[in-house]
């Protein structure tokens, strides 16, 4: 529909449209996004569980592999084994004694490691000693493939799964499919010459028990593959023999393969130093079955919720539109001049409050004219009070001028000077209501104050104002120096023994106007000085310092020009105090009796 057509629709239509659209959009978004997030979460959890199971199985099997390798290592270091493999003697009794000793040692290891089914010590001199195994024919063991492979790579442990076709067999009824063999060459510790090979057969039962203890869902399984792609161990499952060894050689530790029209997830990991791979396999449809079920129920619930929401939206829309229509009818009648009409609402919600506001508005219309008359009257009274307030300062100035003339007639020059200073103090302090004056006027104001104070303290107080004329034309907030001078007199010089001097200086610094009030009074203790500077830098933490003149001046400056400006204090106990006032460079000039400012900060 066209935008203009929709804009002109009724509120009932718009509310219903918005409600249905928002609900449908929300339900659809939540369903799709929720299902997607849930599916990803299930996949991540399944992958993490499979990886955890694979690593647990691998770690357990690694323990058995290390144990078997340790058995070989300890046997190879045994003096009897070394003597048996290295001795060139042909004394049958001596050889039988060594063979018996080795077989006894092999028996001890087999008793401690129940997973070991047999041990063979075979020498290059074609001698051998074995426990749990027996030779089938008289052919030499040095011709066996396991022997040749171990001698060919003397520094590596050889792992042989399903050792079929050997010239040895187990004394017990154990088939080659139930055996995992380990072989490692034995070296002479002095010459590093290969003396023979030690072979250990481990029962595959331990691997089977470890693998079966790991569960991967209903039909998932774990299997182990050797470096040649042969299956070391796998539970009975037709799928495992259709998994290519090339899939497990990819750099990515997981893959997805389709077998018999079923998609399987294959996650694998490698055994260190052996080339073996351990892999977990599970069908994807089994892992995501709960997601499909959740999606189905979500769609059903979404449709039911949308139907209920539609009915609720109709009821809710009508409950809003009906009172608005009633209020609109009343407003039309009020427009025609029926000011006695009132809205009678049954609720106190926003519409009821709107009706009450309508009633208040109608009532206020009758009082509007009288209110305007009252405001005009009060305005005239305020203007009269302002005029009277303006008359009072002039009366004060005229009275002080009369006192000054009378003192001049009687040649009381000291009184003349004090009265003149007081007149200047009041005149500049009032400044016709202006809050910003020129620095020249501010210096006149503080100098008038100093003249009055010098008359009071006589020879105890001296002062000097050293501000170049170039800076006196700049604007400053009025009455910022007098509180600083007053503070210097009462807290610095008054308590000092002997005379004191106050010096007022001014200069520009880093694009700002800096005024300094220095005294040679008693100074401020370091703790109090740090607290005062803290109050000035952080006004919010200075609630108990609001009565100090320094704080008030600092607040006026910061409120007028920002936190980059204000006051800081330097003091040395016994030597004096210096207060620095930092202000912006704003040039001042008088135009037609008005104070005009020009910002010179750039």
């Amino acid at each position: 529909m066209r935008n203009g057509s929709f804009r002109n629709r009724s509120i009932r239509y718009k509310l219903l449209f918005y409600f249905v659209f928002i609900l449908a959009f929300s339900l659809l978004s939540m369903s799709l996004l929720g299902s997607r997030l849930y599916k990803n979460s299930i996949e991540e959890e399944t992958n993490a569980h499979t990886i955890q199971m694979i690593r647990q199985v691998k770690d357990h099997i690694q323990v058995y592999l290390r144990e078997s390798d340790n058995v070989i290592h300890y046997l190879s270091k045994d003096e009897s084994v070394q003597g048996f493999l290295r001795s060139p003697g042909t004394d049958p009794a001596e050889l039988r004694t060594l063979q018996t000793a080795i077989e006894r040692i092999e028996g001890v290891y087999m008793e401690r490691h129940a997973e070991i089914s047999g041990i063979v010590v075979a020498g290059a001199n074609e001698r051998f000693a074995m426990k749990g195994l027996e030779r089938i024919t008289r052919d030499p063991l040095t011709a066996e493939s396991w022997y040749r492979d171990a001698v060919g790579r003397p520094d590596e442990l050889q792992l042989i799964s399903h050792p079929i076709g050997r010239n040895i067999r187990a004394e017990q009824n154990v088939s080659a499919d139930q055996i995992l063999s380990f072989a490692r060459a034995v070296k002479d510790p002095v010459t590093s010459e290969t003396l023979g090979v030690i072979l250990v057969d481990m029962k595959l039962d331990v691997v089977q028990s470890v693998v079966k203890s790991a569960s991967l869902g209903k039909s998932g399984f774990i299997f182990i593959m050797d470096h040649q792609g042969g299956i070391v161990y796998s539970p009975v499952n037709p799928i495992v023999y259709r998994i290519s060894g090339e899939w497990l050689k990819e750099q990515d530790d997981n893959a997805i393969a389709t077998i018999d029209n079923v998609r399987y997830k294959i996650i694998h990991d490698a055994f260190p130093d052996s080339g073996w791979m351990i892999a977990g396999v599970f069908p994807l449809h089994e892992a995501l079955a709960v997601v499909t079920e959740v999606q189905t129920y979500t769609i059903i619930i979404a449709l039911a919720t949308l139907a209920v929401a539609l009915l609720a939206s109709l009821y809710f829309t009508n409950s809003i539109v009906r009172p608005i229509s009633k209020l609109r009818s009343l407003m039309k009648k009020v427009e025609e001049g029926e000011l006695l009409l009132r809205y009678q609402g049954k609720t106190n919600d926003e519409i009821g409050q709107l009706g009450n506001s309508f009633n208040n508005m109608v009532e206020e219309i009758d009082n509007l004219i009288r209110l305007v008359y009252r405001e005009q009257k009060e305005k005239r009274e305020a203007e009269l009070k302002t005029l009277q307030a303006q008359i009072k300062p002039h009366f004060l100035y005229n009275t002080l001028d009369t006192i000054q003339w009378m003192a001049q007639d009687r040649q009381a020059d000291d009184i003349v000077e004090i009265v003149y200073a007081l007149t200047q103090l009041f005149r500049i302090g009032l400044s016709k209501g202006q809050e910003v004056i020129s620095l020249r006027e501010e210096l006149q104001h503080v100098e008038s104050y100093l003249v009055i104070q010098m008359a009071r303290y006589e020879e105890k107080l001296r002062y000097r104002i050293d501000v170049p004329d170039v800076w006196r034309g700049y604007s400053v907030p009025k009455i910022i120096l007098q509180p600083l001078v007053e503070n210097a007199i009462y807290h610095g010089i008054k308590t000092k023994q002997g005379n004191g001097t106050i010096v007022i200086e001014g200069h520009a610094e880093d694009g700002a106007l800096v005024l300094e009030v220095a005294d040679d009074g008693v100074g401020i203790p370091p703790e109090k000085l740090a607290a005062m500077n803290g109050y000035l830098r952080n006004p919010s933490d200075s609630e108990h310092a609001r009565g100090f003149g320094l704080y008030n001046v600092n607040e006026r400056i910061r409120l007028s020009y920002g936190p980059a400006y204000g006051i800081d204090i330097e003091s040395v106990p016994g030597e004096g105090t210096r207060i620095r006032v930092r202000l912006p460079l704003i040039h001042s000039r008088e135009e037609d009796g008005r104070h005009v400012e020009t910002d010179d900060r750039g």
Side-chain angles (χ1 to χ4, degrees):
M1 71 179 63
R2 293 178 299 175
N3 187 31
S5 176
F6 179 79
R7 186 183 298 114
N8 295 326
R9 291 278 188 172
S10 65
I11 294 178
R12 178 184 287 105
Y13 179 87
K14 292 178 182 178
L15 287 175
L16 188 61
F17 174 80
Y18 287 138
F19 288 153
V20 173
F21 175 78
I22 292 172
L23 285 170
F25 179 78
S26 300
L27 290 172
L28 183 62
S29 300
M30 291 176 61
S31 300
L32 295 178
L33 182 61
S35 299
R36 182 64 179 175
L37 293 176
Y38 187 59
K39 178 181 178 182
N40 293 340
S41 176
I42 291 294
E43 289 182 351
E44 291 177 1
E45 290 183 5
T46 305
N47 292 346
H49 174 73
T50 303
I51 292 173
Q52 183 180 11
M53 290 296 100
I54 288 174
R55 289 177 178 173
Q56 287 181 0
V57 172
K58 185 182 74 171
D59 292 341
H60 281 83
I61 294 176
Q62 282 288 108
V63 171
Y64 291 113
L65 298 181
R66 284 194 295 269
E67 288 294 330
S68 299
D69 194 20
N70 290 337
V71 170
I72 295 175
H73 174 75
Y74 294 137
L75 278 172
S76 65
K77 300 300 181 183
D78 189 90
E79 294 181 357
S80 299
V81 174
Q82 289 280 337
F84 179 72
L85 297 176
R86 189 171 49 240
S87 175
T90 58
D91 184 358
E94 179 183 357
L95 293 177
R96 184 58 186 168
T97 300
L98 288 173
Q99 186 178 20
T100 302
I102 293 172
E103 290 175 355
R104 185 175 64 253
I105 295 172
E106 291 173 339
V108 171
Y109 280 113
M110 290 177 63
E111 289 178 3
R112 294 183 178 179
H113 299 276
E115 70 275 9
I116 296 177
S117 62
I119 303 175
V120 176
V121 177
N125 51 15
E126 297 187 1
R127 299 173 187 152
F128 64 89
M130 59 181 65
K131 187 71 174 179
L133 297 168
E134 58 184 5
R135 189 168 64 167
I136 301 174
T137 68
R138 299 183 62 85
D139 294 334
L141 297 180
T142 54
E144 295 283 291
S145 59
W146 55 268
Y147 186 95
R148 295 196 306 271
D149 291 340
V151 172
R153 292 188 292 274
D155 296 324
E156 298 178 10
L157 177 68
Q158 304 298 316
L159 275 68
I160 308 154
S161 59
H162 309 302
I164 301 173
R166 300 186 302 181
N167 192 23
I168 52 177
R169 63 187 175 192
E171 293 178 351
Q172 303 174 357
N173 187 19
V174 180
S175 67
D177 291 335
Q178 298 174 312
I179 294 297
L180 178 61
S181 295
F182 306 86
R184 183 184 286 274
V186 179
K187 292 183 178 181
D188 190 307
V190 178
T191 63
S192 296
E193 177 187 359
T194 300
L195 301 177
V197 174
I198 297 178
L199 175 72
V200 173
D201 280 356
M202 185 180 76
K203 299 174 185 177
L204 207 56
D205 296 348
V206 295
V207 176
Q208 179 179 352
S209 62
V210 171
V211 172
K212 285 186 176 181
S213 66
S215 173
L216 295 183
K218 296 180 180 179
S219 56
F221 61 93
I222 293 176
F223 72 95
I224 301 173
M225 181 179 291
D226 61 22
H227 63 283
Q228 295 178 343
I231 302 300
V232 176
Y233 174 78
S234 171
V236 178
N237 195 303
I239 300 298
V240 68
Y241 298 102
R242 305 188 63 178
I243 296 176
S244 172
E246 297 298 325
W247 297 346
L248 306 186
K249 294 180 181 180
E250 298 177 359
Q251 293 183 352
D252 192 2
D253 60 358
N254 64 81
I256 296 178
T258 301
I259 303 175
D260 289 341
N261 297 322
V262 178
R263 299 177 74 229
Y264 288 88
K265 186 68 171 289
I266 304 173
I267 299 177
H268 56 84
D269 196 3
F271 284 86
D273 303 327
S274 64
W276 285 15
M277 302 294 294
I278 181 171
V281 183
F282 59 89
L284 285 175
H285 70 84
E286 180 180 299
L288 301 179
V290 65
V291 178
T292 303
E293 184 178 358
V294 168
Q295 287 177 337
T296 303
Y297 282 112
T298 300
I299 293 173
I300 296 174
I301 293 173
L303 293 176
T305 303
L306 187 60
V308 174
L310 181 60
L311 297 176
S313 299
L314 287 171
Y315 174 79
F316 178 69
T317 300
N318 290 330
S319 67
I320 293 176
V321 171
R322 274 196 299 266
I324 291 179
S325 299
K326 179 181 178 181
L327 185 58
R328 182 184 61 181
S329 176
L330 288 175
M331 292 182 70
K332 284 185 176 181
K333 293 181 179 181
V334 170
E335 288 177 0
E336 297 173 356
E338 300 182 26
L339 300 179
L340 297 179
L341 295 176
R342 297 293 183 271
Y343 174 80
Q344 302 296 330
K346 298 180 180 180
T347 63
N348 195 31
D349 56 7
E350 285 79 359
I351 298 177
Q353 295 172 8
L354 182 61
N356 293 334
S357 298
F358 168 78
N359 296 337
N360 294 333
M361 179 190 68
V362 175
E363 292 176 1
E364 288 297 322
I365 289 176
D366 290 336
N367 299 326
L368 183 59
I369 295 177
R370 285 177 292 177
L371 179 62
V372 171
Y373 283 149
R374 189 181 302 114
E375 288 179 350
Q376 290 296 326
K377 182 180 178 181
E378 292 175 354
K379 181 179 180 181
R380 287 194 296 270
E381 291 176 354
E383 290 175 349
L384 181 59
K385 291 179 180 179
T386 302
L387 181 59
Q388 292 173 348
Q390 292 175 348
I391 295 173
K392 290 178 181 178
H394 289 290
F395 175 76
L396 178 62
Y397 300 153
N398 293 335
T399 302
L400 290 174
D401 287 341
T402 301
I403 295 173
Q404 181 180 355
W405 294 337
M406 293 173 66
Q408 286 178 346
D409 288 342
R410 292 167 176 76
Q411 296 183 352
D413 295 337
D414 52 349
I415 297 177
V416 172
E417 184 179 8
I418 293 176
V419 172
Y420 177 77
L422 183 59
T423 302
Q424 289 292 98
L425 192 71
F426 286 151
R427 180 174 287 109
I428 298 174
L430 295 172
S431 304
K432 299 180 181 180
Q434 297 182 13
E435 292 298 324
V436 178
I437 61 177
S438 67
L439 179 57
R440 179 177 292 100
E441 293 174 306
E442 179 67 14
L443 293 175
Q444 290 175 359
H445 179 268
V446 74
E447 187 171 13
S448 299
Y449 175 78
L450 284 167
V451 168
I452 296 173
Q453 291 296 339
M454 286 182 63
R456 178 183 178 185
Y457 291 102
E458 298 180 350
E459 297 298 328
K460 186 174 180 62
L461 175 64
R462 294 188 298 271
Y463 74 91
R464 186 177 78 252
I465 298 178
D466 185 12
V467 179
D469 290 339
V470 67
W471 309 121
R472 298 195 179 203
Y474 284 84
S475 293
V476 297
K478 70 179 181 181
I479 315 178
I480 59 172
L481 294 179
Q482 184 270 334
L484 309 186
V485 171
E486 181 180 354
N487 190 76
I489 293 174
Y490 284 99
H491 299 289
I493 295 176
K494 183 178 179 180
T495 57
K496 172 188 176 182
Q497 293 183 356
N499 299 333
T501 303
I502 294 177
V503 178
I504 301 175
E505 300 175 330
H507 61 277
E509 180 181 298
D510 296 332
L513 177 62
V514 177
L515 302 177
E516 297 183 355
V517 177
D519 67 76
D520 56 358
V522 297
I524 304 173
E527 304 83 15
K528 185 176 181 181
L529 177 64
M532 293 176 68
N533 279 320
Y535 299 155
L536 296 174
R537 296 190 186 98
N538 299 289
S540 60
D541 299 333
S542 313
E543 193 65 32
H544 61 285
R546 292 185 180 275
F548 293 103
L550 290 178
Y551 179 87
N552 295 333
V553 172
N554 185 68
E555 273 292 272
R556 288 173 54 205
I557 295 173
R558 289 168 63 95
L559 289 174
S560 298
Y561 304 117
Y565 302 97
I567 292 175
D568 63 85
I569 308 172
E570 300 174 359
S571 183
V572 177
E575 296 184 10
T577 302
R578 180 177 295 272
I579 303 175
R580 291 168 49 90
V581 183
R582 182 180 174 85
L583 299 166
L585 279 172
I586 301 177
H587 197 272
S588 171
R589 68 181 187 274
E590 297 290 337
E591 291 183 0
D592 300 330
R594 293 180 295 109
H595 187 79
V596 182
E597 299 179 357
T598 304
D599 195 338
D600 290 353
R601 290 174 287 178

